[in-house]
């Protein structure tokens, strides 16, 4: 029997630093919520809004797979491995922080805010050599289908990470039914509704709701018209 | 009330400095820094700590040895692997470890 957990958009912790407004699905920063620590290897799901010209100054990371998915606007990234890049909607960025990395990221636009998802996954090995990767998925995204944008495999179309996780994103302009089969036994799936609404098995989800489901091999997704959905398949034991 | 004494070991000096600063920003906590497995063992054996936080840079063998030695010296002191290298997960890791201890 499948197990599931619903995290509605309104149940998320919220922090407001003026230039940054963030909604935390899981316990983050000063917000400690012992009931909401993680979903398997998925540890952080932050829904960030950075105002025009604002950004995160230089700060460190280690031993974490850090994934950014801009939803609107563009972010400028600079790190201690001499990567300077701009990422925008339709792209995905990953940093394997490993033994340690410094970076800063700013809203490229001085007037409009940038919206992005910041997602952290526990790595499957500690102290790897830090790495950076960025990929554009917009071109291989087909209407009304999910496209894989992250995996553990270097040869796959999206970015790769040090974890047996798979991410998919889809935009649906008509109501679309999909059967989703898990890649790996023992994995769970975390569904995050970026836009619109969807139904997963019998559960209706609205914008920015999250829904974790595990101990099953497949699920049924009915994406609502005008929806945008992120699927994150992650190991429940890691 | 006594502060929570936390021994932090991390070979990346800048990240170590950041973690120590973050912990010490909490008035109920006090962090002591170690830049190596050896220094961590030395400090642990001569000090009184409530928690050991393992940051980046130790080998698997060093991490295991540190966990084993802390357990054999003072079994009740939790040893936690730190992830993220900053404020994101730090306090959750500390609060979780301390709550399990109680």
């Amino acid at each position: 029997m499948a197990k599931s957990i619903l995290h509605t958009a309104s149940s998320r912790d919220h922090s407001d630093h003026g230039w940054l407004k963030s909604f935390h699905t899981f316990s983050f920063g000063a917000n400690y919520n012992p009931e909401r620590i993680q979903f398997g290897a998925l540890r952080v799901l932050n829904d960030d809004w950075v105002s025009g010209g604002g950004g995160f100054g230089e700060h460190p990371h280690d031993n974490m797979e850090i994934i950014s998915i801009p939803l609107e606007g563009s972010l400028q990234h600079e790190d201690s491995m001499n990567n300077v890049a701009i990422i925008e909607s339709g792209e995905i960025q990953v940093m394997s922080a490993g033994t340690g990395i410094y970076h800063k990221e700013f809203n490229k636009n001085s007037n409009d805010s940038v919206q992005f998802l910041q997602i952290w996954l526990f790595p499957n090995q500690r102290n790897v050599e830090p790495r950076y990767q960025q990929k554009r998925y917009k071109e291989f995204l087909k209407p009304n289908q999910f496209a894989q944008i992250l995996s553990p495999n270097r040869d796959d179309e999206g970015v790769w990470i040090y974890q047996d996780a798979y991410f998919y994103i889809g935009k649906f302009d008509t109501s679309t039914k999909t059967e989703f089969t898990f890649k790996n036994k023992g994995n769970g799936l975390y569904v995050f509704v970026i836009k619109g609404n969807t139904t997963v098995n019998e559960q209706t989800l609205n914008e920015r709701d999250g829904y974790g489901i595990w101990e099953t091999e497949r699920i049924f997704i009915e994406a609502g018209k005008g929806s945008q959905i992120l699927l994150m398949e992650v190991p429940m034991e890691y | 009330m006594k502060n929570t004494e936390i021994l932090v070991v991390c070979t990346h000096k800048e990240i170590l400095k950041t973690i120590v600063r973050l912990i010490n920003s909490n008035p109920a906590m006090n962090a002591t820094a170690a830049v190596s497995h050896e220094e961590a063992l030395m400090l642990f054996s001569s000090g009184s700590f409530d928690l050991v936080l393992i940051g980046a840079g130790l080998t698997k063998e060093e991490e295991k040895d540190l966990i084993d030695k802390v357990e054999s010296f003072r079994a009740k002191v939790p040893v936690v692997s730190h992830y993220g290298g900053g404020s994101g997960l730090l306090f959750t890791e500390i609060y979780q470890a301390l709550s399990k201890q109680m």
Side-chain angles (χ1 to χ4, degrees):
Chain A
M1 180 75 179
K3 291 182 176 169
S4 61
I5 189 157
L6 174 65
H7 299 139
T8 60
S10 62
S11 71
R12 299 176 298 174
D13 273 324
H14 176 51
S15 54
D16 188 343
H17 304 276
W19 62 273
L20 167 69
K21 291 174 177 51
S22 188
F23 294 88
H24 314 290
T25 295
F26 302 106
S27 202
F28 190 80
N31 298 310
Y32 174 54
N33 181 349
E35 305 302 316
R36 290 276 281 266
I37 302 291
Q38 66 201 93
F39 178 76
L42 172 61
R43 177 59 186 84
V44 172
L45 173 52
N46 287 350
D47 187 1
D48 288 346
W49 304 61
V50 176
S51 61
F56 302 86
E58 192 169 72
H59 60 282
H61 289 295
D62 67 29
N63 287 319
M64 192 55 74
E65 300 300 297
I66 297 172
I67 298 126
S68 295
I69 303 176
L71 303 176
E72 260 182 46
S74 49
L75 274 172
Q76 174 144 354
H77 163 96
E78 294 174 34
D79 66 40
S80 50
M81 295 180 293
N82 298 320
N83 294 299
V84 178
I86 293 167
I87 54 163
E88 56 188 19
S89 173
E91 294 183 311
I92 180 168
Q93 176 206 63
V94 61
M95 280 194 310
S96 299
T99 52
I101 184 173
Y102 270 77
H103 82 136
K104 52 184 173 183
E105 52 196 346
F106 285 89
N107 185 346
K108 180 69 181 157
N109 193 301
S110 54
N111 299 314
D112 300 325
S113 65
V114 58
Q115 288 179 44
F116 70 107
L117 301 177
Q118 193 177 151
I119 301 162
W120 295 12
L121 265 64
F122 287 110
N124 56 15
Q125 47 185 306
R126 281 172 67 82
N127 298 314
V128 298
E129 187 180 337
R131 60 179 283 274
Y132 175 89
Q133 190 185 14
Q134 178 180 341
K135 279 272 178 86
R136 192 167 180 81
Y137 64 79
K138 209 170 187 169
E139 276 70 32
F140 60 83
L141 190 64
K142 293 178 183 157
N144 307 313
Q145 287 182 27
F146 285 104
Q148 183 182 295
I149 56 170
L150 175 147
S151 82
N153 307 315
R154 295 170 195 227
D155 297 332
D156 282 358
E157 209 155 19
V159 294
W160 69 271
I161 61 166
Y162 288 100
Q163 188 48 274
D164 296 324
Y166 300 83
F167 284 12
Y168 309 83
I169 202 163
K171 279 187 179 181
F172 299 89
D173 49 32
T174 60
S175 180
T176 306
K177 289 181 181 174
T178 307
E179 186 186 73
F180 178 88
T181 305
F182 288 71
K183 288 265 192 195
N184 293 339
K185 202 176 175 185
N187 277 3
L189 185 77
Y190 198 86
V191 180
F192 185 71
V193 183
I194 297 168
K195 197 174 168 190
N197 56 66
T198 189
T199 304
V200 178
N201 292 344
E202 303 286 302
Q203 179 67 53
T204 301
L205 304 174
N206 297 309
E207 199 156 300
R208 262 45 178 196
D209 284 351
Y211 186 58
I213 188 159
W214 69 106
E215 291 192 9
T216 186
E217 290 174 4
R218 64 180 65 84
I219 59 166
F220 296 93
I221 302 169
E222 185 170 359
K225 186 180 174 184
S227 63
Q228 187 179 7
I229 299 160
L230 176 66
L231 305 179
M232 294 170 272
E233 181 182 331
V234 297
M236 298 307 285
E237 304 287 335
Y238 53 93
Chain B
M1 198 172 133
K2 179 187 167 291
N3 274 8
T4 301
E5 294 292 335
I6 301 172
L7 176 61
V8 187
V9 53
C10 174
T11 63
H12 193 302
K13 287 180 185 172
E14 291 302 312
I15 294 181
L16 178 61
K17 214 160 105 181
T18 302
I19 296 172
V20 166
R21 176 177 55 77
L22 289 165
I23 292 173
N24 287 339
S25 70
N26 185 321
M29 296 177 185
N30 185 51
T32 301
V35 291
S36 67
H37 160 257
E38 292 75 21
E39 191 181 12
L41 284 176
M42 190 196 70
L43 288 167
F44 187 80
S45 60
S46 60
S48 174
F49 295 98
D50 303 297
L51 177 70
V52 177
L53 206 63
I54 302 181
L58 268 62
T59 64
K60 273 184 191 171
E61 294 73 27
E62 286 173 333
E63 287 194 5
K64 188 181 178 306
D65 185 62
L66 185 57
I67 293 165
D68 290 347
K69 291 209 165 101
V70 168
E71 197 173 321
S72 68
F73 290 157
R74 285 177 215 127
K76 283 186 179 171
V77 176
V79 184
V80 177
S81 294
H82 170 64
Y83 287 89
S87 61
L89 310 187
L90 183 64
F91 288 105
T92 293
E93 290 169 343
I94 293 170
Y95 295 139
Q96 262 195 310
L98 296 174
S99 69
K100 280 177 192 164
Q101 193 188 25
M102 282 159 41

